[in-house]
Amino acid sequence: MANTHPGTSRSEHPVAYLTDVEGIWEKLASFCQDNPHVHLDTEGRLVVRPGATFIYGGDAVDRGPDGLRVVRTLLEARQRQPSQVVLLAGNRDINKLRLPRELNGHPLPKTPADMRAAPRPVLLRWIFDNTMGARGAFEFRRAELERTGGPVSEEDVVDSFLGDVLPGGPLRDYLSVCQLAYRTGNTLFVHGGVHERSLGVVPTGEHVEGVDAWVEALNRWYSEQLAAFREERLEPDGTPAWEPLIAYQAPTPGERINLGSVVYGRMADTRNHPGLPSPALIAALARSGIHRVVVGHTPSGDCPSVLREDSFELILADNSYGRVEGASRLFLGDDSVYVEGQVKLDDGRLERLRFQLALGDTSVPIGRQLLDTGQLVKGPLESGDWLLFRALPQFRVEQLPVAPSALEGRALGPPRAEAPRQV
């Protein structure tokens, strides 16, 4: 059985990772509670202990009534501890750069005619519901403004969202200290995913060899795009000079994914069932010393999904649509990963999952997939059972306990991003 103590492995600089809070303060607060690496002090500031790094994987807003609080807390931590706090930009964060133009006479071409002439609050609700996957964001912001004593008319809510990305706005400042990719040791962090069409590619069309050079070029391009937004630069045809960033953080037109983007790529199939990259991509990453990729963006049940093949790991840590309210915990060193979280099983029981796993350890079935059912072995429950996970149609998930004896003799293999077979 994997070690169940939250040690930091041999790495001298452990990483505490959280992603996709999406405006829900309870997720950030529960992550920090009794956390050996990150805590909230008496003033509500996020503090990273000496020697540790906190990485936030993106998507700070949209689906809860604390978006401003979350953004300001993460931003303040980054400004106070810049060498220990890394912020990745998610699609829910970047897409708010669309609002100043769309609410001021330049709606998307697909915006219905009646919406184009609608009052700003009506148009903003339509934008959230139909083009940002942020149903309820308008009312969440109104609730946050009311709770903090701000004006709460419908026009005030619109002005608040616009103020987020105007000079001095919290989301504008937040995005300015974010990046698209980050590498530490043998681990690469991006919000969405890495694919053959995105690795080494910068949206300018430039191809860069080596992960480090690519990460640097990608983050430089991101900074240049934000500069174009701040300066309100337009191309000769009148389109925004930052339009490439808007396209990069969105699905490819007509699809639900963007394989050329580290922000909107997914390491999963069409049902969100997680899968490892291709062997060729794993080999390409290994040539740059990358043996682990960590992503958010794609919901993966109540706790992170660790997928493994030989000396490579993929971790999907977005639990935003989980059945439990709090956040799971993910701590990383070069040679091990620690996972802890509460899980609500299909029968309604709450269980705790906890393990520490050495990179390349083949003695346990964690991160392998049952070949007959497509179920992923997520890890050990405190009851002694293993947790099996599978994504189902209509974005439902299956979380089942199974006795260790039930896995004996069954074929296990590396999880691939293909539709699992049904039983």
Side-chain angles (χ1 to χ4, degrees):
M1 183 66 69
N3 185 0
T4 58
H5 298 286
T8 58
S9 82
R10 292 190 301 273
S11 172
E12 296 179 359
H13 302 286
V15 170
Y17 177 88
L18 176 67
T19 190
D20 293 85
V21 166
E22 300 184 7
I24 302 174
W25 179 258
E26 171 58 27
K27 289 190 177 294
L28 180 59
S30 62
F31 175 81
C32 293
Q33 186 176 3
D34 299 323
N35 189 317
H37 307 304
V38 183
H39 71 275
L40 295 174
D41 68 12
T42 56
E43 298 178 7
R45 301 184 308 169
L46 188 148
V47 179
V48 185
R49 77 159 176 83
T53 299
F54 171 66
I55 299 178
Y56 184 73
D59 281 2
V61 298
D62 274 359
R63 296 181 53 250
D66 300 292
L68 285 173
R69 186 182 184 188
V70 169
V71 166
R72 287 169 175 156
T73 299
L74 295 173
L75 173 61
E76 191 278 335
R78 175 65 171 77
Q79 292 171 332
R80 180 171 31 81
Q81 296 182 278
S83 65
Q84 292 181 262
V85 176
V86 176
L87 305 177
L88 299 182
N91 54 289
R92 292 184 181 276
D93 313 312
I94 299 171
N95 65 21
K96 303 306 179 292
L97 299 179
R98 293 168 35 196
L99 294 181
R101 283 182 59 83
E102 292 184 30
L103 293 173
N104 287 283
H106 299 278
L108 295 178
K110 66 179 179 181
T111 306
D114 59 335
M115 285 295 112
R116 292 172 178 267
R120 293 193 310 167
V122 176
L123 175 57
L124 182 54
R125 282 194 175 92
W126 185 88
I127 291 170
F128 284 148
D129 291 355
N130 295 277
T131 71
M132 289 188 178
R135 187 176 300 275
F138 192 98
E139 296 307 326
F140 284 137
R141 176 57 60 88
R142 189 206 296 269
E144 187 166 16
L145 293 174
E146 184 173 22
R147 189 176 64 253
T148 56
V152 294
S153 74
E154 297 217 326
E155 288 292 338
D156 291 326
V157 175
V158 175
D159 288 340
S160 176
F161 277 108
L162 290 174
D164 285 352
V165 293
L166 292 177
L171 188 57
R172 183 185 180 117
D173 291 344
Y174 176 85
L175 288 169
S176 72
V177 296
C178 283
Q179 52 199 85
L180 296 184
Y182 178 75
R183 187 246 178 99
T184 181
N186 61 7
T187 304
L188 175 66
F189 298 84
V190 299
H191 176 64
V194 181
H195 297 272
E196 283 85 348
R197 285 168 50 185
S198 61
L199 181 62
V201 178
V202 183
T204 57
E206 178 185 6
H207 287 254
V208 181
E209 291 296 326
V211 167
D212 291 329
W214 172 60
V215 166
E216 181 181 357
L218 193 60
N219 288 331
R220 183 171 58 249
W221 172 80
Y222 169 74
S223 296
E224 292 167 352
Q225 287 286 290
L226 287 182
F229 172 81
R230 290 192 298 268
E231 297 164 10
E232 301 182 22
R233 278 186 272 145
L234 300 179
E235 301 293 355
D237 63 359
T239 59
W242 61 95
E243 185 63 32
L245 178 58
I246 300 300
Y248 190 76
Q249 62 78 47
T252 302
E255 301 181 21
R256 297 179 59 90
I257 195 172
N258 185 342
L259 295 180
S261 168
V262 301
V263 179
Y264 217 90
R266 292 187 188 274
M267 312 297 284
D269 63 20
T270 56
R271 294 178 181 170
N272 283 347
H273 190 75
L276 287 164
S278 69
L281 186 57
I282 291 175
L285 291 167
R287 287 194 289 272
S288 289
I290 297 297
H291 294 280
R292 182 190 295 124
V293 174
V294 180
V295 302
H297 186 57
T298 300
S300 192
D302 293 343
C303 60
S305 295
V306 180
L307 286 66
R308 302 190 298 144
E309 182 175 21
D310 299 327
S311 61
F312 180 83
E313 292 176 348
L314 169 66
I315 303 178
L316 294 86
D318 176 0
N319 307 130
S320 57
Y321 282 83
R323 300 169 179 174
V324 296
E325 293 183 0
S328 55
R329 299 227 184 108
L330 177 60
F331 305 145
L332 303 155
D334 269 3
D335 56 1
S336 74
V337 56
Y338 175 81
V339 175
E340 179 181 9
Q342 193 174 52
V343 177
K344 189 173 185 179
L345 302 173
D346 286 5
D347 62 10
R349 285 185 294 141
L350 288 174
E351 282 261 23
R352 181 157 292 279
L353 175 142
R354 183 173 61 182
F355 65 87
Q356 182 161 318
L357 183 65
L359 183 67
D361 180 2
T362 59
S363 66
V364 291
I366 297 171
R368 307 287 281 177
Q369 185 165 284
L370 289 165
L371 297 183
D372 55 350
T373 65
Q375 293 164 307
L376 175 71
V377 182
K378 269 208 169 182
L381 299 169
E382 286 193 339
S383 64
D385 290 335
W386 290 103
L387 174 65
L388 300 185
F389 172 86
R390 180 168 54 177
L392 301 173
Q394 286 78 55
F395 302 106
R396 296 175 295 116
V397 299
E398 175 183 76
Q399 296 183 149
L400 298 174
V402 61
S405 60
L407 296 184
E408 293 177 4
R410 295 177 67 180
L412 294 166
R416 296 295 178 196
E418 55 195 17
R421 285 176 282 173
Q422 298 297 300
V423 293

